[in-house]
Amino acid sequence: NNTTSKFTNTGVNLNFGHKFDSTGRTLTFDFDYVGYRSKKNQSFLNNTYNPAGAIITTEHITNSLPADIDIYAAKSDYTHPLKKGGKVEAGVKGSYVNTDNTARYFNVVDNKEIFDDSRSNRFFYKEKIAAAYLNFNKDYKRISLQLGLRAEHTNVNGHQTGNSVQPDSAFTQNYLSIFPTAYVSYKLDSTGSHKLNASYGRRIGRPYYQDLNPFINIIDKFTYFSGNPFLKPQFSSNYELTYSYKSIFNTTLLYNYGSNIQTETIEQDGNIFISRAGNIGKKEYTGITTFLSLKPAKWWTMNIYNEVVYVHYKGNIYNSSLNRGKTYWYSSLTNQFTFGRGWSADLSGYYQTSILNGQFVSVPTGQVGAGVQKKILKNKATVYVNGRDIFHTFSPSGKITNIPGATSTYHNYMDSQVITVGFTYSFGKVIANQQKRQTGSAESEENRVKK
């Protein structure tokens, strides 16, 4: 299976900002356009031989899979300081997304391409989102308070054109969603060294645009990738309670409840296994995280992070019930070494036990990275050598559950062992207190494009 692909994007941003007075009242406006263009061509050849080595059947399929994504977004934000401290922020945003996906498949017989209506089609997707938000925050001696409320209205239209084999189909979705947030921070002592933070937030996770494209991508004779035009956004409610001591130590108790969970699913259709994103039901996870920053020596800084989380899924996958949970542990260690005469080094790594993700149960994995740097030319230049996965231990593998009548495992052998040698040089002067403008209005939409 030979595949060639090309992905390009262009964009433009217009922004405006106005300060009303010295108190901090400001108004900003952003408009963004981003266009993505992708082209993919495949040539899949499968020969079947008898025991004598003679070809019984030949299957040769070619395809062209172009896709266009156009994103238009605009937002306006207003900040109003309050007397005796605190401020109110409000804003509105609108976005429009238009995607055009084409699939043209051909069966090659005697070196002639014959158009395949059973696999070919065209899919249009249009999405409009209108949103508004209001935030309030204020400090009260030892207490800091932030409250927010966001409302989003979504209108979706999908249309798959028909042909002599595939029927014409269309769908529409309209829904209003409310997202409250709350954050409270309390200083346990007068210096603020010990803090207790509590937060709550409701979030939405919208699908990637490419995951909505219903066409197939052939991996091999028995494995396809496909999109899901009926994929719905997932919603989650997140609760966290954190204790922190300066920037040295913090620990967090967390709980998350999600519905309409989106994840990769595997469906068996005859002797074909189809991988696509799907909504599988509910997900809960409960856990604890810890972070510790140590300085064993003046030249040595060590950061240690750990998390232990219990994940539980409950739902259905292609008429198969899913009701199972699993606990995993993730640990990472980062070391930074600062030597004399411009020399520095780092050594890092992580380990992760088996994780449950919908139908997939991974095996434990981890990797180690290291690097050495040296500043030269009056500290304006740096030469460095960095190594990633230096022992080549990263190999995502595991098993796939909830496939009736089949046992399935997967193994990925990644090209993750990388050595980088580099040189950097800084020209000109460093500008002190340089301010960077915030991102434009299309960031959330751009994050839904698989690059």
Side-chain angles (χ1 to χ4, degrees):
N1 185 4
N2 294 318
T3 302
T4 59
S5 60
K6 182 179 181 181
F7 185 92
T8 60
N9 72 284
T10 56
V12 60
N13 168 265
L14 302 175
N15 60 84
F16 168 81
H18 176 68
K19 287 186 176 182
F20 291 95
D21 49 41
S22 59
T23 64
R25 283 200 307 141
T26 60
L27 177 68
T28 62
F29 175 80
D30 277 271
F31 170 80
D32 286 87
Y33 164 75
V34 184
Y36 294 91
R37 305 290 179 263
S38 65
K39 295 181 179 180
K40 180 183 288 187
N41 294 282
Q42 288 184 306
S43 178
F44 172 72
L45 177 63
N46 188 83
N47 293 323
T48 304
Y49 300 86
N50 66 12
I55 295 179
I56 301 174
T57 61
T58 295
E59 182 182 24
H60 189 188
I61 300 171
T62 63
N63 65 38
S64 174
L65 304 170
D68 297 338
I69 302 175
D70 292 290
I71 300 172
Y72 304 85
K75 71 172 184 176
S76 182
D77 300 286
Y78 174 70
T79 301
H80 187 93
L82 302 175
K83 295 180 180 179
K84 298 182 181 180
K87 64 180 178 179
V88 174
E89 298 172 307
V92 294
K93 176 182 173 179
S95 65
Y96 171 71
V97 178
N98 181 40
T99 74
D100 183 353
N101 308 269
T102 302
R104 293 175 57 83
Y105 276 85
F106 300 87
N107 294 309
V108 181
V109 180
D110 295 331
N111 294 323
K112 294 182 180 179
E113 290 187 335
I114 302 172
F115 190 73
D116 185 356
D117 278 326
S118 65
R119 291 189 176 99
S120 302
N121 220 315
R122 194 171 185 181
F123 177 68
F124 299 94
Y125 177 83
K126 301 180 187 296
E127 178 185 274
K128 301 174 185 176
I129 301 176
Y133 76 91
L134 181 67
N135 289 337
F136 166 79
N137 64 74
K138 186 175 174 60
D139 294 333
Y140 302 91
K141 294 183 179 179
R142 290 192 180 186
I143 297 177
S144 295
L145 177 66
Q146 295 182 29
L147 299 173
L149 186 65
R150 180 180 178 87
E152 291 185 0
H153 180 268
T154 304
N155 174 262
V156 169
N157 290 280
H159 180 207
Q160 183 172 242
T161 61
N163 56 37
S164 61
V165 177
Q166 301 281 358
D168 189 279
S169 62
F171 65 90
T172 300
Q173 297 178 5
N174 281 284
Y175 55 91
L176 176 67
S177 306
I178 304 297
F179 304 98
T181 58
Y183 174 84
V184 180
S185 177
Y186 179 69
K187 298 178 182 178
L188 298 174
D189 60 348
S190 58
T191 63
S193 298
H194 300 267
K195 288 183 180 180
L196 198 62
N197 303 323
S199 65
Y200 163 77
R202 185 172 187 262
R203 301 188 180 99
I204 185 173
R206 302 182 188 274
Y208 289 104
Y209 301 117
Q210 291 94 325
D211 284 346
L212 296 166
N213 184 349
F215 308 139
I216 66 168
N217 284 282
I218 299 174
I219 306 303
D220 57 49
K221 185 173 178 62
F222 306 104
T223 311
Y224 296 168
F225 280 141
S226 178
N228 181 0
F230 304 105
L231 194 61
K232 297 179 180 179
Q234 65 182 18
F235 295 89
S236 64
S237 295
N238 307 279
Y239 304 83
E240 292 188 359
L241 179 63
T242 302
Y243 164 76
S244 62
Y245 173 68
K246 296 182 178 179
S247 58
I248 298 174
F249 173 78
N250 70 62
T251 183
T252 299
L253 295 174
L254 53 88
Y255 172 77
N256 175 283
Y257 174 81
S259 59
N260 281 346
I261 294 301
Q262 301 171 26
T263 187
E264 181 184 1
T265 65
I266 305 296
E267 179 188 14
Q268 185 179 7
D269 183 8
N271 62 351
I272 304 296
F273 291 86
I274 303 174
S275 170
R276 64 163 66 89
N279 298 109
I280 65 171
K282 301 175 182 179
K283 173 185 175 182
E284 288 184 278
Y285 69 79
T286 307
I288 183 172
T289 70
T290 61
F291 171 80
L292 179 63
S293 181
L294 301 175
K295 203 169 182 64
K298 291 183 179 181
W299 47 269
W300 181 10
T301 300
M302 178 189 298
N303 293 324
I304 306 170
Y305 176 80
N306 283 277
E307 69 180 42
V308 178
V309 177
Y310 174 76
V311 182
H312 187 268
Y313 289 89
K314 186 175 183 180
N316 290 282
I317 300 177
Y318 304 114
N319 299 319
S320 174
S321 177
L322 176 67
N323 188 358
R324 62 185 306 179
K326 188 177 181 61
T327 300
Y328 75 86
W329 170 50
Y330 173 87
S331 181
S332 67
L333 174 65
T334 302
N335 297 278
Q336 295 178 324
F337 309 98
T338 304
F339 308 115
R341 299 183 179 180
W343 285 94
S344 61
D346 59 83
L347 176 66
S348 62
Y350 77 87
Y351 174 77
Q352 179 177 282
T353 63
S354 175
I355 286 184
L356 172 67
N357 184 18
Q359 287 179 266
F360 298 83
V361 183
S362 68
V363 300
T365 187
Q367 61 177 281
V368 175
V372 178
Q373 303 87 36
K374 174 69 168 71
K375 291 185 178 296
I376 59 176
L377 302 178
K378 298 181 179 180
N379 292 332
K380 287 188 175 183
T382 302
V383 292
Y384 60 88
V385 178
N386 290 329
R388 186 183 70 191
D389 193 14
I390 55 180
F391 299 112
H392 210 184
T393 56
F394 182 65
S395 179
S397 306
K399 64 180 180 180
I400 307 172
T401 65
N402 290 73
I403 301 179
T407 299
S408 178
T409 61
Y410 64 96
H411 302 272
N412 293 295
Y413 301 96
M414 312 294 290
D415 188 15
S416 56
Q417 191 177 39
V418 178
I419 302 296
T420 304
V421 179
F423 171 82
T424 64
Y425 184 83
S426 300
F427 296 88
K429 298 179 179 179
V430 176
I431 301 176
N433 301 321
Q434 183 179 16
Q435 294 184 351
K436 293 185 177 180
R437 197 183 68 81
Q438 298 295 318
T439 56
S441 57
E443 181 182 15
S444 60
E445 288 76 20
E446 290 184 75
N447 290 336
R448 293 170 57 196
V449 179
K450 288 184 176 179
K451 301 178 178 64

